[in-house]
Amino acid sequence: MAEGATAVAGAVKPRRELDRAVVRFAGDSGDGMQLTGEQFTAESAWAGNDVATLPNFPAEIRAPAGTLFGVSSFQLQFGSQRVYTPGDRLDCLVAMNPAALKVHLGDLKPGGLLIVNTSAFDKRNLDKAGYPSNPVDDPTLGERYRLHNVDMTALTHEALKDLLLNTKEKDRCKNFFALGVVSWIYTRPLEPTLEWIGKRFAKSPTLADANTRVLKAGHAFGETAEIFGEHYTIEPAQMAPGLYRAMTGNRALAWGLLAAAERSKLPIVYGAYPITPASGILEELAMHKRFRIRTIQAEDEIAAVTAAIGASFGGAIGVTGSSGPGIALKGEAIGLAVMAELPLVVFNIQRGGPSTGLPTKTEQADLMQALYGRNSESPVVVLAPATPGDCFFVAYEALRVAVKYMVPVIVLSDGFLANGSEPWLIPDVSTLPPIDVEFRTDLEGFFPYLRDPATLARPWVRPGTAGLEHRIGGIEKQDVTGNISYDPDNHDHMVRTRAEKVRRVAQEIPPTTVNGPAGGEVLVVGWGGTFGSITAAAERAQSEGLSVAAVHLRYLNPLPPDLGHILRQYRRVLVPEINSGQLVRVLRAEYLVDAVGFNRVRGLPLSSDEIHHAINQLLGST
Amino acid sequence: MSTTGAGPAATPKYTKKDFESDQDVRWCPGCGDYAILSAIQKSMPDLGVPREDIVFISGIGCSSRFPYYMNTYGFHTIHGRAPAIATGLRLARPDLTVFLVTGDGDGLSIGGNHMLHVLRRNVDVTILLFNNRIYGLTKGQYSPTSELGKVTKSTPMGAADRPVNPLAFALGSGAAFVARTVDRNIPHMEAMLKRAAMHRGASFLEILQNCPVYNDLAWNVIYEKESKLQYELRLEHGKPLIFGPPDDRRAVIMDGVVPKVVKARDVQESALWVHDETNANAAKLLADLFAPDFPVPVGVLYAVDAPIYEDLLLEQEQRAISERGPGDIGKLLTSGDTWRI
Ligand code: SF4
């Protein structure tokens, strides 16, 4: 915990100022930890802090209560400066049951705050978590951490004793007791949560009353109970002025499409099959029919992408979204869009794999799949957002490029970005680049594969245009005429042309931003959801006086035209990824640089600590 | 490419020639597909749809070459997926008239799932399933409609899987229009094509088609003059199920819940089974009839109106717009919980 020197005087209990804090709420999947975390996030955003979150929940919908694999958690970091990641080690852990303590204790800093709901530490739960004896009775726990045993269930019942609710209903309120306590500890405003309670329980005043009472009881408990010696404030962060909202990656992808639909004045057909962690995009889009977003919950992944391609053939914009397993199924159809040279946007919300893998955990191991995972030479544009809010801009960009170049674009988000949220400066939509679609209507000199000299895009014709009737398909075609052709030289020419078309998209890439010195010892190159961890690690190294810079790639195919030059300005290149080394191979192959990977594939975001450590190791090596 | 497009006001008077593309047709000589192509090109002018508003979509297989030969818009896609492509197209462009050309392998094997769903959703497309009971393009493996025991290159000792019945499949999938015709019966084929095309919603037309190269005369029972006379049962709405040569007219009647063939003159008029295109249960029984124990029904088995997928979805869109106005991204971004820094 980065602590300021001054204790704020005048409060009943001493108040200390912090730069930042990392808090994790952990409990059973039935304990409402996701909601608790989201509310604490809302309170922190309201307090003007920058925030990054990491929800983490089991794949099972109703995992058996009390078990280790049924533990659900929500972590966030909030601070008075830019917060790039949800944090590495915890300053505060709330453990609602023994299983949660067992799973998460290892991440708590020595001396960190440990708040334990003792009422859940009964024999049954201890057995399920595999504790032979009650860990809170072990004195070493209190020596290593600032342990606070709180009987939350009893205190919740006490607060609700005169309310007509059954035991189960009362039990369910205890997460708000925990929220109240932690809100007091970090001096969070309760308003956003009270407002939420009012809205959520508008139809059941008793439950609204109950949750309000328990939240306030938790808050008062922090203030009055003997056990908490002090509490903390975190000053509002210095953030760019403007209007902010909380944004998750999946919602941002969806809203980016809405913006693109509005700007291009074209309907979007979004085909999808339910899959974790991408389903949220389908659900979000289905709510916004007013934007002429037409969603199809297709019969399978293949139908989802082919319906999108059918829509593109019709002059709408076809978009599909899934996770790695679904993308594997869509491969052949993406090849059809490559061949038919139709616009298509494909979202891949990457998760742990292969096969079913870790459906609710994050990973970055589908880069090679996006670049090469189809039969034959099948080049597509590949983009990756860096933060939840960035998903908005990347979705928009993907669509813009897809229609301009008549090419499929794959967007690689991930489970961490999809569910994670950040305070997002709401952009002025008029500053988004235009998406001007011009359908071919001119009969004069028309051929289906006549190309635009700058983009190599073929003309997009809406069926219904008289005189331009033509046929396209997945069979190799003669350039220009579009007639079926098995001619060897034509095929070679078309393979090169399709590749060149994707290469030309490099015209769209702005100069690469280098965070740090323009040359030096180590360049850290990353892509996708590791942006926060890499930036935090690189900036820490810089503040320690080390010669380290960082570059984060949004365009993975084509690569930025200036990247080769930048890579050569540093003695070593480090590529941290949540895979076994995919971008690093691309960079080595593409630029003949001796880049090295830093790879952990644990279903979790990389921590900035471990990246910082890797930077130091690389600096120390010769 | 011809430039004789239609204006929006009136559909020009087309002839068959207007629907012939400039591509060389590449089916084997004698293939049933030629007759089907010709019948379709000939039927098109009668639909009264401007040529530029017509789209042919296909998957993969001999039949799927079809779009290249039609001078309309066309999309030759990937194996089995044409129903899903057509669904997306209809949702994007409900103003277009969409035909889907498929075969027994494309439509009922690799694309069986999509066929099920395009039918149950009742997307407004006309599905032409060319059934030749064999894989032609891949040179002669058995198909999902090949009979049990069928000896082919991939089943030298006979196919061990039982065939699927396309009509029963379509009805079981909830199709609202199901019909059958034969490639060697040009006038009937034209009549069925027009009815299928005019029907709103997914219309499923099975066309019994001959593959002279890999499965010649698979449908001989309905080709050969004598046996055709014996077995062809022309379904006509409101007419009794009577078939057979003039001197041996027979009727299909219901014996309890089981169809049965009897001599027509032995049946009271009131006991005859009168065809009713709107009777789903009767259609399911008809779908299962086949020679030699029963006649081979051709014609419209079932035709009713049913809610159309894209109509419903686009109505929802219109309702959302009329109730709350068109989407405004600027407003959406600033809606809900926001705060100023
Ligand atoms: S293989 Fe059979 S179905 Fe295919 S084109 Fe030749 S004859 Fe026709």
Side-chain angles (χ1 to χ4, degrees):
Chain A
M1 205 180 298
E3 299 183 359
T6 52
V8 178
V12 181
K13 288 181 183 176
R15 223 195 250 188
R16 290 158 64 83
E17 201 175 305
L18 309 177
D19 299 338
R20 59 185 62 227
V22 180
V23 173
R24 186 185 290 168
F25 297 92
D28 208 50
S29 354
D31 282 341
M33 291 297 98
Q34 299 304 318
L35 172 64
T36 310
E38 284 163 19
Q39 284 311 127
F40 193 77
T41 304
E43 293 175 1
S44 297
W46 175 292
N49 296 140
D50 196 11
V51 189
T53 70
L54 175 63
N56 195 347
F57 39 84
E60 291 75 17
I61 304 299
R62 301 257 182 275
T67 57
L68 294 175
F69 64 88
V71 171
S72 167
S73 71
F74 191 105
Q75 177 179 329
L76 75 161
Q77 177 164 216
F78 48 102
S80 57
Q81 281 151 22
R82 259 325 291 272
V83 165
Y84 292 112
T85 73
D88 301 340
R89 312 294 303 280
L90 308 175
D91 298 308
C92 174
L93 171 67
V94 179
M96 298 299 282
N97 71 358
L101 182 70
K102 183 134 199 187
V103 172
H104 295 291
L105 187 63
D107 295 334
L108 184 61
K109 285 180 187 166
L113 258 180
L114 175 61
I115 301 168
V116 167
N117 173 29
T118 49
S119 37
F121 281 62
D122 57 15
K123 170 99 176 63
R124 235 176 108 229
N125 281 336
L126 290 167
D127 283 350
K128 277 191 198 160
Y131 279 120
S133 62
N134 196 339
V136 298
D137 296 340
D138 177 356
T140 58
L141 194 69
E143 284 161 20
R144 192 166 305 147
Y145 310 101
R146 283 180 287 152
L147 171 65
H148 298 298
N149 291 320
V150 184
D151 188 345
M152 294 190 202
T153 308
L155 289 161
T156 298
H157 278 265
E158 174 65 23
L160 300 176
K161 63 173 181 286
D162 53 344
L163 278 190
L164 277 175
L165 290 171
N166 62 36
T167 308
K168 221 170 155 191
E169 285 169 323
K170 288 183 179 174
D171 279 351
R172 252 193 233 135
C173 296
K174 67 175 180 299
N175 60 327
F176 271 33
F177 193 90
L179 179 60
V181 171
V182 184
S183 296
W184 177 80
I185 293 176
Y186 289 102
T187 325
R188 309 284 88 183
L190 294 183
E191 285 89 338
T193 303
L194 292 171
E195 224 170 77
W196 180 89
I197 292 172
K199 268 192 220 153
R200 170 70 180 78
F201 299 110
K203 292 213 179 86
S204 36
T206 320
L207 287 178
D209 185 22
N211 281 287
T212 306
R213 282 196 202 191
V214 172
L215 178 73
K216 288 186 172 165
H219 197 264
F221 179 82
E223 182 141 25
T224 52
E226 292 296 303
I227 57 175
F228 298 103
E230 59 180 14
H231 63 153
Y232 312 100
T233 56
I234 289 97
E235 286 294 299
Q238 288 299 323
M239 290 161 72
L243 193 64
Y244 280 77
R245 68 177 306 128
M247 202 53 154
T248 64
N250 272 355
R251 171 174 276 187
L253 284 177
W255 287 18
L257 290 185
L258 300 182
E262 183 176 304
R263 189 55 81 83
S264 66
K265 302 190 182 63
L266 290 178
I268 287 180
V269 172
Y270 183 81
Y273 185 77
I275 185 170
T276 303
S279 306
I281 304 169
L282 171 66
E283 293 162 7
E284 179 69 30
L285 289 171
M287 294 197 297
H288 298 285
K289 294 185 189 295
R290 298 189 298 143
F291 287 83
R292 295 208 296 161
I293 297 275
R294 297 165 191 167
T295 56
I296 299 180
Q297 183 177 317
E299 57 268 27
D300 61 25
E301 295 283 0
I302 301 172
V305 61
T306 45
I309 293 171
S312 288
F313 176 73
I317 300 169
V319 183
T320 187
S322 186
S323 189
I327 303 298
L329 289 167
K330 296 180 199 290
E332 185 195 13
I334 296 171
L336 173 66
V338 168
M339 203 66 165
E341 303 193 30
L342 284 169
L344 175 72
V345 173
V346 181
F347 294 153
N348 179 358
I349 318 304
Q350 299 165 93
R351 67 187 215 188
S355 185
T356 307
L358 308 170
T360 57
K361 311 292 177 202
T362 199
E363 203 164 280
Q364 290 188 302
D366 297 348
L367 175 60
M368 291 300 189
Q369 181 194 42
L371 292 172
Y372 309 117
R374 291 164 298 284
N375 61 304
S376 189
E377 298 291 342
S378 178
V380 299
V381 177
V382 181
L383 303 179
T387 69
D390 191 38
C391 289
F392 177 86
F393 301 104
V394 169
Y396 188 92
E397 174 79 349
L399 203 136
R400 188 182 74 80
V401 166
V403 297
K404 183 168 177 185
Y405 290 81
M406 298 289 279
V407 73
V409 179
I410 294 180
V411 173
L412 293 174
S413 178
D414 62 42
F416 166 65
L417 293 175
N419 296 314
S421 83
E422 64 170 340
W424 186 57
L425 178 60
I426 298 171
D428 172 0
V429 285
S430 69
T431 61
L432 294 170
I435 303 178
D436 297 322
V437 174
E438 250 185 75
F439 292 107
R440 170 94 187 199
T441 51
D442 188 3
L443 312 191
E444 202 50 48
F446 167 76
F447 286 105
Y449 279 74
L450 195 67
R451 295 176 188 284
D452 178 286
T455 61
L456 297 184
R458 70 177 193 88
W460 198 6
V461 181
R462 289 177 93 235
T465 310
L468 295 187
E469 294 86 354
H470 66 280
R471 278 67 54 191
I472 58 170
I475 301 188
E476 184 62 285
K477 284 159 296 295
Q478 192 178 46
D479 205 5
V480 184
T481 67
N483 290 335
I484 292 178
S485 167
Y486 296 105
D487 177 67
D489 291 333
N490 175 72
H491 179 56
D492 185 76
H493 165 75
M494 290 299 269
V495 166
R496 289 168 200 277
T497 304
R498 287 185 285 263
E500 176 59 20
K501 189 164 78 151
V502 170
R503 262 196 295 278
R504 296 248 179 127
V505 175
Q507 306 169 141
E508 306 292 328
I509 308 178
T512 302
T513 307
V514 178
N515 181 353
E521 286 296 306
V522 172
L523 178 70
V524 189
V525 182
W527 65 281
T530 50
F531 170 76
S533 317
I534 291 174
T535 308
E539 290 185 358
R540 189 169 138 205
Q542 287 161 6
S543 71
E544 291 161 358
L546 302 175
S547 169
V548 173
V551 154
H552 211 72
L553 302 180
R554 170 183 275 188
Y555 269 90
L556 294 153
N557 197 37
L559 288 161
D562 57 1
L563 185 61
H565 174 77
I566 293 170
L567 292 173
R568 295 202 166 79
Q569 308 312 307
Y570 302 84
R571 196 170 65 84
R572 304 304 307 264
V573 174
L574 177 69
V575 187
E577 294 176 89
I578 313 174
N579 58 40
S580 339
Q582 299 195 5
L583 178 64
V584 69
R585 277 181 220 207
V586 173
L587 296 181
R588 291 176 66 96
E590 204 66 29
Y591 301 107
L592 294 176
V593 292
D594 189 17
V596 296
F598 172 76
N599 307 92
R600 293 282 183 281
V601 200
R602 302 169 59 230
L604 292 170
L606 298 181
S607 81
S608 59
D609 270 356
E610 54 193 4
I611 297 172
H612 180 259
H613 185 70
I615 293 172
N616 272 318
Q617 273 198 323
L618 200 59
L619 279 167
S621 69
T622 42
Chain B
M1 189 149 297
S2 153
T3 53
T4 56
T11 304
K13 277 263 160 282
Y14 295 117
T15 64
K16 175 169 183 271
K17 271 212 113 19
D18 290 312
F19 290 93
E20 294 170 0
S21 80
D22 57 358
Q23 301 291 300
D24 296 334
V25 184
R26 296 197 194 192
W27 289 308
C28 308
C31 177
D33 291 355
Y34 284 97
I36 304 175
L37 175 63
S38 165
I40 290 177
Q41 287 167 337
K42 209 163 145 231
S43 308
M44 285 288 126
D46 294 341
L47 299 183
V49 179
R51 188 176 59 184
E52 64 273 16
D53 290 344
I54 298 173
V55 182
F56 275 82
I57 298 200
S58 66
I60 294 291
C62 291
S63 59
S64 290
R65 287 299 184 97
F66 211 89
Y68 291 115
Y69 309 139
M70 295 293 300
N71 191 15
T72 60
Y73 283 91
F75 196 5
H76 177 213
T77 69
I78 45 177
H79 207 10
R81 318 302 171 196
I85 300 251
T87 302
L89 176 61
R90 281 286 309 162
L91 200 53
R93 295 293 307 282
D95 54 321
L96 298 174
T97 299
V98 180
F99 289 84
L100 202 157
V101 180
T102 180
D104 38 319
D106 187 62
L108 295 170
S109 195
I110 193 165
N113 189 30
H114 307 304
M115 187 60 78
L116 156 67
H117 291 277
V118 79
L119 292 172
R120 89 174 161 85
R121 290 191 180 111
N122 200 29
V123 178
D124 188 10
V125 293
T126 302
I127 301 163
L128 310 175
L129 186 133
F130 300 7
N131 183 4
N132 57 18
R133 311 191 84 175
I134 199 79
Y135 281 85
L137 193 65
T138 51
K139 301 190 175 17
Q141 302 81 10
Y142 78 117
S143 91
T145 56
S146 296
E147 57 275 27
L148 186 66
K150 175 89 175 170
V151 173
T152 70
K153 283 186 195 160
S154 58
T155 51
M157 295 176 74
D161 22 344
R162 295 155 62 220
V164 63
N165 174 336
L167 300 177
F169 175 88
L171 289 163
S173 303
F177 181 100
V178 177
R180 176 193 275 154
T181 188
V182 188
D183 61 351
R184 297 219 175 158
N185 190 339
I186 309 270
H188 188 261
M189 192 160 46
E190 286 175 19
M192 288 302 111
L193 284 167
K194 278 181 229 166
R195 274 217 55 192
M198 300 290 192
H199 175 83
R200 280 216 76 219
S203 33
F204 182 90
L205 177 61
E206 178 191 23
I207 305 176
L208 306 184
Q209 176 242 328
N210 195 40
C211 169
V213 176
Y214 295 110
N215 203 15
D216 196 22
L217 301 180
W219 303 115
N220 205 31
V221 64
I222 204 94
Y223 287 167
E224 195 269 319
K225 205 167 165 231
E226 189 50 35
S227 102
K228 181 181 173 213
L229 204 56
Q230 286 291 335
Y231 287 108
E232 186 187 65
L233 169 60
R234 289 288 190 97
L235 298 173
E236 282 176 76
H237 186 64
K239 298 269 176 65
L241 303 186
I242 293 179
F243 67 101
D247 56 343
D248 183 22
R249 297 294 277 171
R250 276 159 291 149
V252 185
I253 59 161
M254 287 297 286
D255 180 9
V257 291
V258 183
K260 188 175 157 192
V261 174
V262 295
K263 289 214 177 299
R265 63 175 178 319
D266 295 348
V267 197
Q268 296 265 315
E269 202 179 319
S270 62
L272 286 170
W273 175 346
V274 176
H275 182 48
D276 174 3
E277 289 176 359
T278 65
N279 184 331
N281 292 324
K284 284 171 186 161
L285 291 171
L286 288 171
D288 280 332
L289 304 185
F290 209 84
D293 296 338
F294 289 98
V296 179
V298 296
V300 177
L301 281 80
Y302 187 54
V304 292
D305 286 330
I308 293 167
Y309 175 73
E310 60 273 30
D311 284 0
L312 297 176
L313 282 179
L314 293 165
E315 264 166 42
Q316 290 180 357
E317 178 178 298
Q318 281 313 312
R319 198 163 66 213
I321 291 172
S322 67
E323 280 170 7
R324 298 177 54 213
D328 179 336
I329 188 68
K331 273 194 194 148
L332 180 68
L333 289 176
T334 53
S335 67
D337 292 336
T338 59
W339 65 94
R340 192 164 283 285
I341 289 179

